[in-house]
Amino acid sequence: AAPPTSKAIPTDRPVQVEVIPVTAADALGKQLVKLYTDNPSPYVSGPTSLKKLTRALADGTRYFLVRNAEGQTVGARAFETGTKRIVGSVTDFPFRGRGYQVSASKIMRAQLAEEGFREFRGEVMRDNTRQIRKLLAEGWEIETHPKKPHLVRCSLRLDEEE
């Protein structure tokens, strides 16, 4: 399938991304920590030191750097293997709204599905209607969050043939 076209910026160019697994507190790990450390949003959480990254990796959290077609690191994504939750998505400010995370999410889920993960969960800000529409179009189920009224919970279950 062709990569999605971003409607957030005036271009009809497909959004090309590379999703790179981060498996250690090395140079890639330093880039990841910097993305989380530099993000001012109170809703984004992730490792803010190499020590915290090492601990999270040991606990089963999977991290991925997101790079655009020019090779620039534009964001990161995370997946908690125990809870099957997609957590800690962060986009470097100049690259927000360009469709990188939508493409990266699909690639990350495909990589994890090849390893046997068939179920994914997440949380989205209730007022992020663009993201909620995209999730619904991909087949995610959306429900009210029982404890956090500013969020909705989402879940996706892949069929065995996907």
Side-chain angles (χ1 to χ4, degrees), residues 53-123:
L53 171 61
T54 301
R55 189 177 318 126
L57 289 168
D59 289 342
T61 300
R62 305 278 299 278
Y63 291 97
F64 303 85
L65 286 176
V66 180
R67 290 197 178 142
N68 64 13
E70 291 77 37
Q72 299 167 299
T73 299
V74 298
R77 300 194 64 83
F79 178 72
E80 292 177 345
T81 57
T83 62
K84 298 175 180 68
R85 288 180 58 224
I86 296 173
V87 296
S89 296
V90 61
T91 307
D92 200 11
F93 191 77
F95 301 105
R96 290 186 181 160
R98 297 181 181 214
Y100 293 123
Q101 290 290 9
V102 173
S103 297
S105 179
K106 291 178 182 179
I107 293 168
M108 181 187 76
R109 285 195 318 265
Q111 289 177 1
L112 292 166
E114 287 178 12
E115 297 174 27
F117 291 98
R118 310 307 301 162
E119 185 177 351
F120 301 92
R121 299 183 183 127
E123 297 172 341

Side-chain angles (χ1 to χ4, degrees), residues 9 17 27 39 48 53 57 62 64 86 90 107 119 132 134 150 152 154 161:
I9 55 174
V17 296
N39 189 302
T48 54
L53 171 61
L57 289 168
R62 305 278 299 278
F64 303 85
I86 296 173
V90 61
I107 293 168
E119 185 177 351
I132 292 170
K134 289 174 188 173
H150 63 287
V152 294
C154 6
E161 66 271 358

Side-chain angles (χ1 to χ4, degrees), residues 9-70:
I9 55 174
T11 180
D12 58 359
R13 184 179 62 145
V15 179
Q16 299 285 341
V17 296
E18 181 182 11
V19 178
I20 304 163
V22 176
T23 58
D26 55 10
L28 292 176
K30 287 179 184 176
Q31 287 181 35
L32 183 93
V33 167
K34 182 169 176 22
L35 278 168
Y36 284 110
T37 303
D38 291 351
N39 189 302
S41 173
Y43 303 110
V44 173
S45 62
T48 54
S49 71
L50 291 176
K51 184 176 181 180
K52 289 179 182 178
L53 171 61
T54 301
R55 189 177 318 126
L57 289 168
D59 289 342
T61 300
R62 305 278 299 278
Y63 291 97
F64 303 85
L65 286 176
V66 180
R67 290 197 178 142
N68 64 13
E70 291 77 37

